[in-house]
Amino acid sequence: MPRGQRHDHASAGITASDGAKGFEKALFEQARAGLEVYDTDLRVLRANPAVLAMRGLPASRVIGVGLQDLDPHLPLSPIIREVMAGASPVFDRPVSTYPAADPGNRHDYAVTGYPLQEQGRSIGAASMIHEVTDQVRRQEELDLLSIARARIGSSLDAVRTAQELTEIAVPAFADAVAVDLLESVLAGEAPVGPVTDQPPMKRAGFKAQEGQYGAYPIGGTSHYAIPTPYTQALADLQPRLVESVVSARRWLANDRLRAESIRRAGAHSLIVTPLTVHGLVLGLASFYRAGAHPEPFDEEDLSLATQLAARTALCVDNARRFTREHTVATTLQRSLLPRTAPLTAAVDSSHCYLPGRYGAHWFDVLRLSSSRIGLVIGYVPGEDLLASVAMGRLRTAVTTLAAMDLPPDELLVHLDDVAQRLAREQDSDPLALLHAQPPFTASCVYLTYDPVTRRCAAASAGHVSPLVTSPQGVVSDLDVPRGAPLGHGVPYELRTTELSAGSLLSLYSDGSADRYPAEADDRVSRLREAVADASVDPAEICDAAAYKVLRGTAPEDGAALLVARTRCLAPDHVATWTFPPRPVSVREARRATRDRLAQWGLEDHVFVTDLVVSELATNVIRHAEGAIQLRLILDSTLTVEVSDDADTAPHLRHARVQDEGGRGLFLVASMTRHWGTRYEDGGKTIWAEQSLTAA
C-alpha cells in the first residue's frame, strides 16, 4: 500500500461487526458439517444446508420445529437434552439413520452438542453433525475381517471352520449364511477345478436369525440346480451379487427347495462366493440379507464377502490336508497293528482301538516259547504320519526282542536303544526341524504270562500300569513301577506277580491323559466298571468300553485297550523230571519221554522227540553243570525244555565233513518248528517246539 494511503473497514463501507457477520454466515452456510442452533425449548432456530440434506427436509419444515418431531429423520433430541441438562458438551456421539428417501442404506453420523450460555444463563444449544458413514462402514469391515482372522480356522476341522464363518457373519454382516463343501473335500481328497456339472455338496455350516432354518440341514447332501448364481459361481470361480432376489425369480424357478427357503426367510439380497484355493474349488458360501438388514448388498459388501470366503477357503484347505494326512496315518496305523488276536493256551484276548488326531498307539499279543504269552501296549506322541512310522518301528523291535525270550525289563532297555536312535534321526531330519517337532519320546508297558506257573512279569517305560481283575471281581492296578519313557537311557524295574487262572488283564493307552488328566481319570473309572466282571468275554468288554468308556469324552489323541483273560494249563499236560548229570540219564530221559508221549497218544512224535531230548540232555552233560531238568508241555504244539545251571548257550553251526560233532543242534533245528534259549535266574533253558499237525 502506498505511503499515506488509508484503507480500513470504514473506508470500504463495511464495519468490523458487519464483516464478522458476513464471515459467520458464509461459514455457516458453506460448512460441510451439519450445524443447528436450538432454543431452550429445543426448537430449531437455525439450520445450515448440510444438516437439511442430512434430514432430507427443506428449511420450512425444520426451522421453528421441535427437535423431537424431527427425530424420525435424524434423532438428535436425546443428545441435546443431555447437553442442556448437564450444561456440558457431548463429543462425537454416534447416530445412525435410514433416510426415507433411501431406506435401504444406513447413514452414520458423529454428533457433537454444545450448550449456549449468556452471562451464566442458558440460552439454548447447538450441534455439529459429521457424516461418517464411509468411515464407520470401513471400520466395521476391518473389525469383521480381524475377527475372521482370529476365529476362523481355530481347529483343523472343515465342518467347524465352515460353522465359524456363519457365526462371525450373522448378524454382523448378513441375516443368514450357508456353507456347502464338496463331499470329496470333506473326505480329504484334493479340490477340483471349475465345476460345470452337479457334484454332491454337503451342508457344512448354516446360521440364521432365530427361528429360521435353511433348505438343507447341516450334514445334508444336495445338488445345485443349473443355471443359478450358485452354479455360475462354481463354473467361473467369480462371486455373484444379487441385489434384489425379487427381480431374480427366473433362476429361482430352477431350484424350488432353495427358492422356498428364501421366500420363507424374506431374503431380499444375496451374495454367492466360491471357496477356492489356487483356482481349485472347495465349496460355496452364500450370504443372505432379510428384515434385520434392510439395505441390500452392494459392491463393497461383495468385496468383504470375498475376503471372508478367501480366509475360510484357506482354513478349509488346511483342514482338508490334515484330514488327508490323518486318513493316511490312520490307515498306516491300522495296517501296522494286529488284525485279530491269536488263539493261545495262555490267554483269551481282544482289543479295541480308537485312532486320534495326534500320535499313534500300538499293542500286540506275542507268542513266546513254552506256551507263554507276551502282552504289550504303547503310545508315540507326535505328528500322525511320523508317529505312525515310529510306532511301526517300535512294534517291529518289540516283536524281534520278544522272540529272543528277553525278560520285560531287559526288553525295554533294548527298546530304549531303538528309541534313542529314532530320536537322533529325528533331530538330524531337516523336515522335523522345519516343522518344530517336539523331542521324540514314547511310552510302553510289556508283560509276560506263563500258563504253567501262572507267573506274570512286567515292566513299564513311562506307561500307566495295567488293571487286574481277580476271578472274584476285584479290580486293582498291576504292581508295576512306572519308569521313564523310552529314549531316556535309564534301566527299568521288573515286577513279578502270580495270577489266578481266570484273571483279567487290561492294558490301556490314553493319548490325552497328560494334557487332560481329569477327563482321563473319569475314563479310567468307567473302564474299571467295564472290566469288573472277569467272567465276561474279552470281546464283549472291548465293545462295552467303546460305548461306555469313550462315549462323549473320547480322547482327542486316541486310545487303545487290550484285554486278556489268563488261563492255566491242565496239570496232566505238563510233565517235569530231574536227572543227575551223568550219561545214563540221557537214556532215562528218553524212556520217560516215550512213556509220556504214549499217554498223550503222540506215538508218531517219538522219533523226533527222542532225538531232541538226547541232544539237549547230552549238551548239559558235556557243556554245563548241575542236574538235567526236563519238561514236556502239551499245547497246540509239543515243547521240549531242558534246563541247567550254566549261563552259556550253544550255537547252531554247520559241521564240516571231517568234524566229529556239531551236528546235534542242526538236527534239532531241522526237525522242529522253532528252538531257542531262555535265560532265567540261576541258569538257562533250551527249548524246541514241534508242530502236532505236521507229523
Side-chain angles (χ1 to χ4, degrees):
M1 182 180 299
R3 186 185 299 269
Q5 183 177 350
R6 293 181 57 206
H7 187 186
D8 54 23
H9 293 297
S11 65
I14 302 175
T15 65
S17 176
D18 291 337
K21 289 180 179 180
F23 282 116
E24 175 189 331
K25 181 179 180 181
L27 175 63
F28 193 85
E29 297 293 335
Q30 299 175 25
R32 297 182 62 183
L35 300 174
E36 280 186 336
V37 180
Y38 319 99
D39 62 16
T40 54
D41 293 327
L42 268 63
R43 288 190 298 266
V44 180
L45 298 179
R46 193 173 181 185
N48 73 341
V51 76
L52 295 176
M54 294 175 186
R55 292 191 183 279
L57 297 173
S60 60
R61 295 183 56 186
V62 174
I63 304 301
V65 178
L67 193 56
Q68 186 171 354
D69 296 331
L70 298 172
D71 279 348
H73 302 279
L74 188 61
L76 301 182
S77 63
I79 299 174
I80 303 305
R81 290 183 188 278
E82 181 181 340
V83 169
M84 296 286 288
S88 59
V90 171
F91 297 99
D92 296 328
R93 183 70 57 83
V95 171
S96 298
T97 67
Y98 291 90
D102 193 9
N105 287 320
R106 187 188 71 187
H107 289 254
D108 296 284
Y109 304 95
V111 179
T112 299
Y114 301 93
L116 299 178
Q117 295 181 340
E118 186 177 55
Q119 298 179 353
R121 179 175 59 87
S122 175
I123 61 172
S127 65
M128 178 182 295
I129 306 104
H130 290 89
E131 181 163 4
V132 292
T133 302
D134 292 340
Q135 297 92 314
V136 169
R137 182 168 183 173
R138 183 55 184 162
Q139 187 59 50
E140 289 178 346
E141 293 177 357
L142 293 175
D143 291 343
L144 191 60
L145 289 174
S146 178
I147 294 173
R149 284 192 293 268
R151 292 178 52 187
I152 295 178
S154 63
S155 66
L156 290 172
D157 185 299
V159 174
R160 178 59 192 156
T161 299
Q163 192 61 31
E164 286 168 346
L165 170 62
T166 67
E167 292 171 355
I168 289 171
V170 177
F173 179 65
D175 292 309
V177 176
V179 180
D180 296 296
L181 299 178
L182 292 170
E183 284 191 334
S184 58
V185 169
L186 287 171
E189 298 178 17
V192 297
V195 176
T196 57
D197 54 0
Q198 295 177 287
M201 306 281 283
K202 182 161 289 188
R203 178 59 53 86
F206 180 83
K207 186 177 181 181
Q209 299 291 346
E210 185 176 356
Q212 296 182 9
Y213 53 91
Y216 298 93
I218 293 179
T221 302
S222 67
H223 297 78
Y224 283 109
I226 298 176
T228 61
Y230 309 104
T231 55
Q232 292 167 351
L234 291 172
D236 61 13
L237 308 187
Q238 296 298 317
R240 288 295 188 279
L241 169 62
V242 181
E243 296 186 32
S244 176
V245 173
V246 176
S247 62
R249 295 189 182 277
R250 186 173 181 179
W251 63 261
L252 285 175
N254 298 323
D255 197 338
R256 296 187 179 277
L257 192 58
R258 284 189 172 83
E260 172 59 25
S261 179
I262 290 173
R263 184 200 61 77
R264 185 176 60 248
H268 59 76
S269 187
L270 164 68
I271 289 179
V272 179
T273 56
L275 301 177
T276 61
V277 174
H278 305 305
L280 301 177
V281 178
L282 300 166
L284 198 69
S286 305
F287 302 85
Y288 302 88
R289 279 186 176 174
H293 288 79
E295 69 278 15
F297 288 118
D298 57 20
E299 292 295 334
E300 292 187 11
D301 294 319
L302 181 65
S303 174
L304 177 58
T306 303
Q307 294 180 71
L308 292 174
R311 171 66 184 179
T312 304
L314 180 62
C315 295
V316 167
D317 190 55
N318 288 339
R320 178 199 64 80
R321 292 173 183 272
F322 176 80
T323 299
R324 177 61 179 169
E325 181 177 316
H326 179 65
T327 301
V328 172
T330 301
T331 303
L332 177 61
Q333 290 177 31
R334 292 190 182 280
S335 69
L336 294 173
L337 293 173
R339 303 296 177 88
T340 58
L343 299 176
T344 69
V347 297
D348 179 17
S349 64
S350 184
H351 61 260
C352 172
Y353 170 58
L354 176 70
R357 301 178 68 85
Y358 181 81
H361 302 264
W362 95 91
F363 53 87
D364 223 334
V365 179
L366 304 170
R367 293 178 179 272
L368 304 179
S369 63
S370 306
S371 298
R372 296 176 307 120
I373 202 75
L375 302 177
V376 61
I377 196 166
Y379 174 63
V380 181
E383 295 298 328
D384 273 356
L385 280 174
L386 296 178
S388 299
V389 172
M391 174 271 284
R393 296 177 68 176
L394 289 175
R395 182 190 173 221
T396 301
V398 169
T399 304
T400 304
L401 294 170
M404 298 171 63
D405 273 325
L406 295 176
D409 55 337
E410 292 186 24
L411 183 144
L412 290 184
V413 169
H414 289 287
L415 193 63
D416 183 83
D417 293 337
V418 176
Q420 291 185 55
R421 184 168 64 251
L422 292 176
R424 289 192 295 270
E425 292 176 0
Q426 176 180 295
D427 292 341
S428 60
D429 185 359
L431 291 178
L433 296 175
L434 179 63
H435 294 290
Q437 285 286 342
F440 178 83
T441 186
S443 65
C444 174
V445 62
Y446 176 71
L447 63 84
T448 60
Y449 173 71
D450 189 336
V452 177
T453 63
R454 294 185 284 108
R455 292 179 61 194
C456 175
S460 171
H463 207 87
V464 292
S465 297
L467 299 177
V468 180
T469 307
S470 69
Q472 295 75 31
V474 178
V475 182
S476 60
D477 293 327
L478 189 66
D479 185 18
V480 183
R482 187 172 182 175
L486 295 172
H488 287 70
V490 297
Y492 299 96
E493 186 175 348
L494 179 69
R495 194 61 56 88
T496 302
T497 307
E498 186 173 312
L499 301 177
S500 302
S503 298
L504 201 65
L505 287 167
S506 302
L507 291 73
Y508 64 96
S509 178
D510 189 334
S512 304
D514 291 338
R515 293 193 295 159
Y516 307 106
E519 294 180 7
D521 290 344
D522 180 62
R523 285 190 288 270
V524 172
S525 297
R526 293 204 301 272
L527 177 61
R528 287 177 176 270
E529 297 175 3
V531 302
D533 188 354
S535 65
V536 178
D537 184 74
E540 295 181 12
I541 292 176
C542 289
D543 289 342
Y547 291 101
K548 296 180 180 179
V549 177
L550 302 178
R551 69 180 189 279
T553 60
E556 187 180 65
D557 299 338
L561 174 65
L562 176 61
V563 180
R565 182 189 292 108
T566 61
R567 294 173 176 171
C568 182
L569 282 181
D572 59 351
H573 280 219
V574 181
T576 305
W577 301 274
T578 301
F579 301 100
R582 55 190 183 186
V584 70
S585 296
V586 177
R587 184 173 65 251
E588 295 174 357
R590 290 200 302 266
R591 183 186 305 113
T593 299
R594 287 194 294 268
D595 292 343
R596 182 50 59 99
L597 292 182
Q599 295 179 24
W600 288 341
L602 300 177
E603 291 84 353
D604 292 343
H605 296 271
V606 169
F607 175 76
V608 174
T609 308
D610 246 6
L611 186 150
V612 172
V613 170
S614 295
E615 176 58 30
L616 298 185
T618 301
N619 279 340
V620 174
I621 296 173
R622 291 181 177 179
H623 307 293
E625 300 176 355
I628 302 172
Q629 299 177 34
L630 172 63
R631 185 168 73 165
L632 302 182
I633 301 174
L634 176 61
D635 185 9
S636 58
T637 60
L638 175 64
T639 302
V640 177
E641 291 184 351
V642 175
S643 303
D644 57 60
D645 297 336
D647 57 2
T648 57
H651 298 282
L652 179 66
R653 64 186 181 90
H654 294 272
R656 293 171 295 182
V657 175
Q658 66 271 24
D659 288 344
E660 296 182 1
R663 296 179 177 84
L665 281 181
F666 179 76
L667 291 175
V668 170
S670 300
M671 305 188 71
T672 60
R673 190 170 72 170
H674 301 295
W675 78 280
T677 304
R678 183 173 69 249
Y679 291 94
E680 299 171 348
D681 294 339
K684 69 176 182 297
T685 297
I686 302 176
W687 56 270
E689 182 181 289
Q690 301 177 55
S691 173
L692 298 180
T693 59

